[in-house]
Amino acid sequence: MDGVFAIAMTILVLELRAPETLGPGGLGQVLFDLRSRFATFVISFIVLGVYWFAHHQVFHFVLRVNRTLVWLNILFLMGIALVPFAASVMGAHSEDPIALSLYGAVLGLLAALGYLIWWYMTGDRGLIEPGLDPALVHKVRLWLAIGPVITPVAIAVSFISTTLALLIYLALPVVFIFFNPVSRYLERLRETEP
Amino acid sequence: MDGVFAIAMTILVLELRAPETLGPGGLGQVLFDLRSRFATFVISFIVLGVYWFAHHQVFHFVLRVNRTLVWLNILFLMGIALVPFAASVMGAHSEDPIALSLYGAVLGLLAALGYLIWWYMTGDRGLIEPGLDPALVHKVRLWLAIGPVITPVAIAVSFISTTLALLIYLALPVVFIFFNPVSRYLERLRETEP
Amino acid sequence: MDGVFAIAMTILVLELRAPETLGPGGLGQVLFDLRSRFATFVISFIVLGVYWFAHHQVFHFVLRVNRTLVWLNILFLMGIALVPFAASVMGAHSEDPIALSLYGAVLGLLAALGYLIWWYMTGDRGLIEPGLDPALVHKVRLWLAIGPVITPVAIAVSFISTTLALLIYLALPVVFIFFNPVSRYLERLRETEP
Amino acid sequence: MDGVFAIAMTILVLELRAPETLGPGGLGQVLFDLRSRFATFVISFIVLGVYWFAHHQVFHFVLRVNRTLVWLNILFLMGIALVPFAASVMGAHSEDPIALSLYGAVLGLLAALGYLIWWYMTGDRGLIEPGLDPALVHKVRLWLAIGPVITPVAIAVSFISTTLALLIYLALPVVFIFFNPVSRYLERLRETEP
């Protein structure tokens, strides 16, 4: 299913297009006018990259899957497939609070499903490795709660300032990357190895 | 070949697009007008997810393939690749019985090929594990007969009520998921393990 | 690199589209008017499926690759990526000999590269398993020569009758499948196993 | 992540399209008018093929990844996903220095990230096999410096002659292939094996 991530990331670029006939400003003007689409491309690529990496890391702990986990995963991938749509709307209407809210809603859906998947997976269902550190399980839960808490804030902010909301969407993956408890856990594990 | 599933699932989103110039209702109206395309996206994503998971489960029992099985599989993938086309037509013309019939025809084709593949695979051709429970083989055959039986009904219904036909297309994957005999078989196997 | 096959096969469907506004004949007429695009979709999907399977079978015998083989393979994949383009032109202009010639040229390029890859691979370069039956090597060479011989004929025929040329393009993968010496070799190997 | 390469390579073909209604010159004229898009397709496919192969070779030496390497890799893949955009602009405006500069900028970004990844990877961070020949590490560094040095030259040249800049973009992957020190290293290793 990694395919859905890779395809969603690559088709984001289909939003960046120059028309065949140029206006008086020439190609330079056309490319300059693509700047908000380009910003959306970069943010969305990084967001999808973050989720793709987190997805990979989280499923690393999985011993076996059951039907519920498969379906939570398919819903999560549906959210991933919606990112190019929300990005397309936000790239074309970057000053419209409704466009930024739609983007925030898709990010919020992904964040909520990510939280739900981790919560379900680490419950007492025999789906993960028995020896997994409960402190890590708890830390990851807090980490995955960042998204569902921040995205409603960003949606509200978008009605005051679309620029500020955009900055929150950009900050979100950065925070996500730097506070990744799984990476830190794995790095610590490696250091304590003889 | 999992790629065809992932690509078909992701390109479904290309049907969801907002125009660059908005009407008097603004972006809110534009997004509201996408509702039948969105419903089609969700149904089609779930249908493809169901077939992808079933395909994965069924090919799990395969010991070796022969030319006929490869070609049945390629025809099945051709049906998978047709889902975005049928979804595109149904999303744009959700009140038109012909659009719903086309969607039903693609689902029916997939269901019939799925049935055929299972029938061929479990025949006495040495393609599957010898110890596979004959009761399971029979149950899966009944389960896979749901699609070829229901889709002609849905096509007929679409000429009376397109909404009812749409509900049948939505119900079909749900029924498929809940009555999945392979999942139940594998779960029972796991429980009886020491 | 299987990805290029799967993506090329799936994006073929992007040629099948119904307009949002229908003419007096309704959706039925629109779908009927797609028939030559649909025929092109089916032929191209099967052609790509054939090459994908043959590619898989042929690379099964490979022990190691060198730079030349990698680059022949990338050129072959470039030919695969051109099939949706040639299919798009042929689907829109199915009565135009130039469209059919373009399609034939892409098929011919693929066939020629396929022949070249097999010839290079089975030369005395240590790239394949040493024990491979020389009779099979020779039979596969003859089999792979079908394409480079038939496609120029089909191109010439397209200037007399586009329908006949289309039938040749349809017949080609069928002949390819039925006379596949690799499948027959592997099936015979299996039968002689104790 | 090979998926991003395969998808970017295949969606390049979406730029090659014939209109449904033909002008007085017929389909022949239409195809002839696609020649600069076709040249861009071929160059871009080969460039992506080169990077895909180099990426594969370089990651072959990796023992383990850390967060920085993952993110350098995601940025590199973002550059790969931008190639179809730059190709689309250059294919439509092949005489415009700005279009050629954009293409050069994307190639330069990829080249710089490739250099950076190799530099980071081979630093004293325990990410690669300990026994890797330091002479090879150095040679690969020089090889990967070709791109970041040549692309600014090509951008400057594009303001004098777009044809010459295009030839540099075509020469770049050819040079890259022929002077590949990793291939030569692996080929020499194989010869010295008993």
Side-chain angles (χ1 to χ4, degrees):
Chain A
M1 282 320 258
D2 267 30
V4 172
F5 288 91
I7 302 156
M9 284 161 95
T10 318
I11 64 176
L12 285 171
V13 85
L14 297 178
E15 288 306 310
L16 299 173
R17 301 189 74 82
E20 284 210 30
T21 50
L22 303 175
L27 193 55
Q29 184 64 43
V30 161
L31 295 179
F32 183 72
D33 290 347
L34 284 175
R35 67 193 180 283
S36 68
R37 286 182 184 269
F38 189 76
T40 304
F41 169 80
V42 172
I43 292 175
S44 304
F45 201 95
I46 293 176
V47 163
L48 288 173
V50 164
Y51 274 116
W52 173 65
F53 185 39
H55 189 262
H56 204 79
Q57 282 192 326
V58 158
F59 273 79
H60 187 80
F61 296 122
V62 169
L63 264 188
R64 64 175 196 85
V65 296
N66 65 10
R67 247 186 296 181
T68 307
L69 192 55
V70 166
W71 282 98
L72 284 174
N73 194 26
I74 287 179
L75 284 179
F76 184 79
L77 292 170
M78 185 154 72
I80 292 294
L82 282 170
V83 171
F85 162 58
S88 159
V89 173
M90 192 167 81
H93 306 281
S94 60
E95 317 267 288
D96 192 326
I98 294 178
L100 279 108
S101 300
L102 176 70
Y103 197 81
V106 170
L107 291 197
L109 173 76
L110 279 174
L113 281 167
Y115 186 87
L116 195 63
I117 286 173
W118 183 251
W119 170 83
Y120 182 81
M121 191 185 258
T122 55
D124 194 18
R125 294 177 183 86
L127 301 177
I128 55 161
E129 299 170 26
L132 193 66
D133 182 359
L136 176 71
V137 170
H138 186 68
K139 268 185 206 158
V140 171
R141 208 173 281 185
L142 286 178
W143 176 59
L144 290 172
I146 298 172
V149 167
I150 297 294
T151 47
V153 173
I155 291 173
V157 163
S158 75
F159 287 89
I160 302 159
S161 160
T162 53
T163 311
L164 197 59
L166 206 69
L167 287 175
I168 298 177
Y169 296 147
L170 186 59
L172 205 62
V174 176
V175 168
F176 219 74
I177 297 164
F178 279 92
F179 291 92
N180 185 329
V182 184
S183 295
R184 284 199 282 180
Y185 175 78
L186 294 175
E187 277 159 23
R188 217 169 309 124
L189 261 190
R190 209 170 286 124
E191 282 159 19
T192 58
E193 273 169 10
Chain B
M1 284 319 258
D2 267 30
V4 173
F5 287 92
I7 302 156
M9 283 160 95
T10 319
I11 64 176
L12 285 171
V13 84
L14 297 177
E15 288 306 309
L16 298 174
R17 300 189 75 82
E20 284 211 29
T21 50
L22 304 174
L27 193 55
Q29 183 64 42
V30 162
L31 294 180
F32 184 72
D33 289 347
L34 285 174
R35 67 193 179 283
S36 69
R37 285 181 184 268
F38 189 76
T40 304
F41 168 81
V42 172
I43 291 175
S44 304
F45 201 95
I46 293 176
V47 163
L48 288 172
V50 163
Y51 273 114
W52 173 66
F53 185 39
H55 190 261
H56 203 78
Q57 283 191 325
V58 159
F59 273 78
H60 186 80
F61 295 121
V62 169
L63 265 188
R64 65 175 196 86
V65 296
N66 64 10
R67 247 186 297 180
T68 307
L69 193 55
V70 166
W71 281 99
L72 284 173
N73 194 26
I74 287 179
L75 284 179
F76 184 79
L77 291 170
M78 184 154 74
I80 292 294
L82 282 170
V83 171
F85 162 58
S88 160
V89 173
M90 191 165 81
H93 305 281
S94 60
E95 319 266 288
D96 192 326
I98 295 177
L100 280 107
S101 300
L102 175 70
Y103 197 81
V106 170
L107 291 197
L109 173 75
L110 280 173
L113 282 166
Y115 186 86
L116 195 63
I117 287 173
W118 183 252
W119 171 84
Y120 183 80
M121 189 185 259
T122 55
D124 195 18
R125 295 177 182 85
L127 301 177
I128 55 161
E129 300 169 27
L132 193 66
D133 182 359
L136 177 71
V137 170
H138 186 68
K139 269 184 204 159
V140 171
R141 207 171 282 184
L142 286 179
W143 176 59
L144 290 172
I146 298 173
V149 167
I150 297 293
T151 47
V153 173
I155 291 173
V157 163
S158 75
F159 287 89
I160 303 159
S161 159
T162 53
T163 311
L164 197 59
L166 206 69
L167 287 175
I168 297 177
Y169 297 147
L170 187 59
L172 204 62
V174 176
V175 167
F176 219 74
I177 297 164
F178 278 93
F179 292 91
N180 185 329
V182 184
S183 294
R184 283 199 283 180
Y185 175 78
L186 294 175
E187 276 158 24
R188 218 170 308 124
L189 262 189
R190 208 171 286 122
E191 281 158 18
T192 58
E193 274 169 9
Chain C
M1 282 320 257
D2 267 30
V4 172
F5 287 91
I7 301 156
M9 284 160 95
T10 319
I11 65 176
L12 285 171
V13 84
L14 298 177
E15 288 306 311
L16 298 173
R17 301 188 74 81
E20 283 211 30
T21 49
L22 304 175
L27 193 56
Q29 183 64 43
V30 162
L31 295 179
F32 183 72
D33 290 346
L34 285 174
R35 67 194 179 284
S36 69
R37 287 182 182 269
F38 189 77
T40 304
F41 168 81
V42 172
I43 292 174
S44 304
F45 201 96
I46 292 176
V47 163
L48 288 173
V50 163
Y51 273 114
W52 173 66
F53 185 39
H55 189 261
H56 203 80
Q57 282 191 326
V58 159
F59 273 78
H60 188 80
F61 296 120
V62 169
L63 264 187
R64 64 176 197 85
V65 295
N66 64 9
R67 247 185 298 179
T68 308
L69 192 55
V70 166
W71 282 99
L72 284 173
N73 194 25
I74 287 179
L75 284 180
F76 184 79
L77 291 170
M78 186 155 71
I80 292 293
L82 282 171
V83 171
F85 163 58
S88 159
V89 173
M90 191 166 81
H93 306 281
S94 59
E95 318 267 288
D96 193 325
I98 295 178
L100 278 108
S101 300
L102 176 70
Y103 197 81
V106 170
L107 291 197
L109 173 76
L110 280 173
L113 281 167
Y115 186 87
L116 196 62
I117 287 173
W118 183 251
W119 170 83
Y120 183 81
M121 191 185 257
T122 55
D124 194 17
R125 294 176 183 86
L127 301 177
I128 54 160
E129 300 170 26
L132 193 65
D133 182 0
L136 177 71
V137 170
H138 186 68
K139 267 185 207 160
V140 171
R141 207 171 281 185
L142 287 179
W143 176 58
L144 290 171
I146 298 173
V149 167
I150 296 294
T151 47
V153 174
I155 290 173
V157 164
S158 74
F159 287 88
I160 303 159
S161 159
T162 53
T163 310
L164 196 58
L166 205 70
L167 286 176
I168 298 176
Y169 297 148
L170 187 59
L172 204 62
V174 176
V175 168
F176 219 73
I177 297 164
F178 277 93
F179 292 91
N180 185 328
V182 184
S183 295
R184 282 198 284 180
Y185 174 78
L186 294 175
E187 276 158 23
R188 217 169 310 123
L189 263 189
R190 208 171 286 123
E191 280 159 19
T192 58
E193 274 169 8
Chain D
M1 280 322 257
D2 268 30
V4 172
F5 287 92
I7 301 156
M9 285 160 94
T10 318
I11 65 176
L12 286 171
V13 84
L14 297 177
E15 289 306 309
L16 299 173
R17 302 188 74 80
E20 283 210 29
T21 50
L22 304 175
L27 194 53
Q29 184 62 45
V30 162
L31 294 179
F32 183 72
D33 290 346
L34 285 174
R35 67 194 179 284
S36 70
R37 288 182 182 269
F38 189 76
T40 305
F41 168 81
V42 172
I43 292 175
S44 305
F45 201 95
I46 292 176
V47 163
L48 288 173
V50 164
Y51 273 116
W52 172 67
F53 185 39
H55 189 262
H56 203 78
Q57 281 191 326
V58 159
F59 273 79
H60 187 81
F61 295 121
V62 170
L63 264 188
R64 65 174 195 86
V65 296
N66 65 9
R67 247 185 297 179
T68 307
L69 192 55
V70 165
W71 282 98
L72 284 173
N73 194 26
I74 287 178
L75 284 179
F76 184 79
L77 291 170
M78 186 154 71
I80 292 294
L82 283 170
V83 171
F85 162 59
S88 159
V89 173
M90 191 166 83
H93 307 280
S94 59
E95 318 267 289
D96 192 326
I98 295 178
L100 278 106
S101 300
L102 176 70
Y103 197 82
V106 170
L107 290 196
L109 173 76
L110 279 173
L113 281 167
Y115 186 87
L116 195 63
I117 286 173
W118 183 251
W119 170 84
Y120 183 83
M121 192 185 257
T122 55
D124 195 18
R125 293 177 183 86
L127 301 177
I128 54 160
E129 299 170 27
L132 192 65
D133 182 0
L136 177 70
V137 169
H138 186 68
K139 269 185 207 159
V140 171
R141 209 172 283 184
L142 287 179
W143 176 59
L144 290 172
I146 298 172
V149 168
I150 297 294
T151 47
V153 173
I155 291 173
V157 164
S158 74
F159 287 89
I160 302 158
S161 160
T162 52
T163 311
L164 196 59
L166 206 69
L167 287 175
I168 298 177
Y169 296 147
L170 186 59
L172 204 62
V174 176
V175 168
F176 219 75
I177 296 164
F178 277 93
F179 292 91
N180 185 330
V182 184
S183 295
R184 284 197 284 179
Y185 174 78
L186 294 175
E187 276 158 24
R188 218 170 310 122
L189 262 189
R190 207 170 287 124
E191 281 158 18
T192 58
E193 273 169 10

